[in-house]
Amino acid sequence: MTARSTLRTTAAHHRLAAVGAIAVAGTLLLAGCGDQTKDKDSSDSSASASSAPLADKLPQAIRDKGVVKVGSDIAYAPVEFKDDSGKTVGIDPDLADAMGKQLGVKFEFENGTFDTLITGLRSKRYDIAMSAMTDTKDRQDGVDSETGKKVGEGVDFVDYFTAGVSIYTKKGDDQGIKTWADLCGKKIAVQRGTVSEDLAKAEAKKCPSGKKLAIEPFDNDQQAQTRVRSGGAQAGSSDFPVTAYAVKTSGGGKDFEIVGEQVEAAPYGIAVAKDSTQLRDALQAALDAIIKNGEYDKIIKKWGVADGAVTAAAVNGGK
């Protein structure tokens, strides 16, 4: 997905079939919170800095700490969320664990609302942000996607996955929604600061007089899902893997359905401050290493999202 307002459909039917494998994780519950509390769980890395093959690529300060601090909205299953025991699990924590073994450090996830993660990077609260964040040109350049104005110095991304955006409704009650244009005259629930919100705002500007698209933003995706489930909004939108997971698991598969095709397929990136080039390059090397040794594919297949896999780690590949 990208922050552009022009929608492009993708091979949705192929992706829908592939993500059916998410049933592997179907017993896990959607859980999490959007507060600014530290998650006690870190990705377990048994490799020491002395034995890890890529440890010397990291900045010395991080090698000395042995920890990479990760800002993440841990309420976005199956990308990152808490299981029944309170442990942080998902695609991102698993990838971070594998990368940590290459770098000889632990990746420590700290929970925060999605729209504050880049600010947390700027303030040095986090070393990186890893939270299903789409790599877009606007985020690279520090530009507000709605106003087009410069709001910060931007970030660099190490791209590790590809996903699009989907619309969902209550199961059996799609309200005639098949495309984004069908949302005019209705209300959509989205997570604040996401590309789903950007797309909804762009579509709202196109709606004819008398058929306003109402947009209700929330701190996290589960709040948006609750709004749709209760009938307070006719539709919701989030990244395709997240939507597909919710459709599969929420209410035992009885709560939601995906409508129409996913749009705006684009890379997820690990966000790094512009002045952290050494850390950025170390992450790229670690990701390339786990792609090469097969760990990456195992993780992506485990979570049933193999269609979003990448074959190499790119830097700032978003457009």
Side-chain angles (χ1 to χ4, degrees), residues 15-250:
R15 289 179 182 273
L16 279 167
V19 179
I22 288 176
V24 173
T27 58
L28 297 172
L29 298 176
L30 297 176
C33 58
D35 61 10
Q36 293 285 340
T37 57
K38 185 175 180 180
D39 177 17
K40 298 300 182 182
D41 296 311
S42 302
S43 59
D44 295 324
S45 177
S46 59
S48 66
S50 60
S51 62
L54 300 177
D56 62 350
K57 290 187 175 293
L58 282 170
Q60 189 61 50
I62 290 181
R63 293 179 65 186
D64 291 344
K65 289 188 303 180
V67 170
V68 175
K69 294 170 64 178
V70 185
S72 187
D73 174 24
I74 309 173
Y76 213 54
V79 187
E80 52 260 316
F81 64 109
K82 292 178 186 266
D83 66 12
D84 289 340
S85 70
K87 181 180 179 181
T88 299
V89 297
I91 298 167
D92 284 358
D94 282 357
L95 290 175
D97 177 57
M99 292 167 66
K101 292 172 182 175
Q102 295 293 318
L103 296 168
V105 293
K106 292 183 178 180
F107 283 66
E108 186 176 84
F109 281 72
E110 185 171 333
N111 198 23
T113 53
F114 184 81
D115 58 346
T116 65
L117 297 181
I118 289 181
T119 302
L121 276 180
R122 293 193 195 111
S123 67
K124 307 298 183 183
R125 175 172 185 154
Y126 316 125
D127 297 312
I128 65 174
M130 190 174 187
S131 191
M133 185 176 291
T134 301
D135 174 1
T136 69
K137 187 66 172 162
D138 283 347
R139 284 174 174 155
Q140 293 169 25
D141 295 340
V143 171
D144 184 292
S145 59
E146 185 176 3
T147 66
K149 294 181 179 179
K150 184 85 170 174
V151 293
E153 64 180 359
V155 295
D156 284 338
F157 287 99
V158 178
D159 299 337
Y160 64 97
F161 190 74
T162 300
V165 178
S166 293
I167 302 170
Y168 62 94
T169 65
K170 291 180 70 173
K171 191 166 187 176
D173 187 20
D174 66 12
Q175 302 281 314
I177 299 168
K178 299 298 180 186
T179 69
W180 282 81
D182 295 331
L183 293 169
C184 293
K186 299 179 174 64
K187 180 185 286 186
I188 187 169
V190 296
Q191 183 177 2
R192 186 178 292 106
T194 63
V195 177
S196 287
E197 184 181 24
D198 292 341
L199 293 174
K201 288 178 178 178
E203 193 61 46
K205 294 177 182 178
K206 304 174 189 176
C207 290
S209 177
K211 292 192 69 176
K212 178 182 177 182
L213 168 56
I215 304 166
E216 192 167 6
F218 292 89
D219 284 342
N220 64 58
D221 195 65
Q222 281 147 16
Q223 292 170 349
Q225 289 178 25
T226 298
R227 189 65 165 162
V228 177
R229 190 184 297 112
S230 68
Q234 287 77 42
S237 176
S238 59
D239 293 0
F240 179 75
V242 177
T243 304
Y245 188 89
V247 166
K248 191 71 179 180
T249 61
S250 182

